Amino acid sequence: VNLVESGGGLVQPGGSLTLSCAASGFSFSAYYMFWVRQAPRKEVEWVSRIDPSGKLTLYADSVKGRFTISRDNANNTLYLQLNNLKTEDTATYYCAKDPWTDERNRGQGTRITVSS
């Protein structure tokens, strides 16, 4: 399993970012995929899930209406569009294949800092 996230950075509150995750080493189109995050000194938190077809999505209450997960199975890529970012969204974001609770199924992460 190889997952490489990109797109993080420093953004002001209310701003937007798009994260990408390039997947390889497994049959990407066959798996549920996830975005999870870990804020400083906190546990890993599930953020969003997408089914293999890309038609069914699920979000944590804390990001619902602000984040959008999507995937491109032809190019083995997972995305997360983050809008109206808040300071509490500051974290390292990881893409993960099912099961996301296994660290071996996550990438190295990309850091987002939301600050004015």
Side-chain angles (χ1 to χ4, degrees), residues 11-95:
V11 62
Q12 293 185 341
S16 297
L17 283 174
T18 300
L19 304 184
S20 300
C21 172
S24 61
F26 65 103
S27 297
F28 177 77
S29 61
Y31 281 86
Y32 279 82
M33 293 296 296
F34 301 81
W35 286 99
V36 301
R37 67 185 180 185
Q38 187 170 26
R41 299 174 297 281
K42 292 191 176 180
E43 297 293 317
V44 176
E45 174 189 21
W46 173 85
V47 173
S48 183
R49 184 193 81 182
I50 190 167
D51 80 315
S53 75
K55 295 179 181 178
L56 297 176
T57 58
L58 203 60
Y59 299 93
D61 287 344
S62 58
V63 307
K64 198 174 298 181
R66 301 188 297 119
F67 292 7
T68 303
I69 189 172
S70 60
R71 65 192 298 163
D72 179 351
N73 285 341
N75 291 296
N76 292 347
T77 304
L78 181 71
Y79 300 98
L80 186 68
Q81 175 68 38
L82 303 88
N83 295 327
N84 191 20
L85 282 159
K86 304 177 180 181
T87 55
E88 53 263 43
D89 295 319
T90 294
T92 299
Y93 284 72
Y94 302 87
C95 72

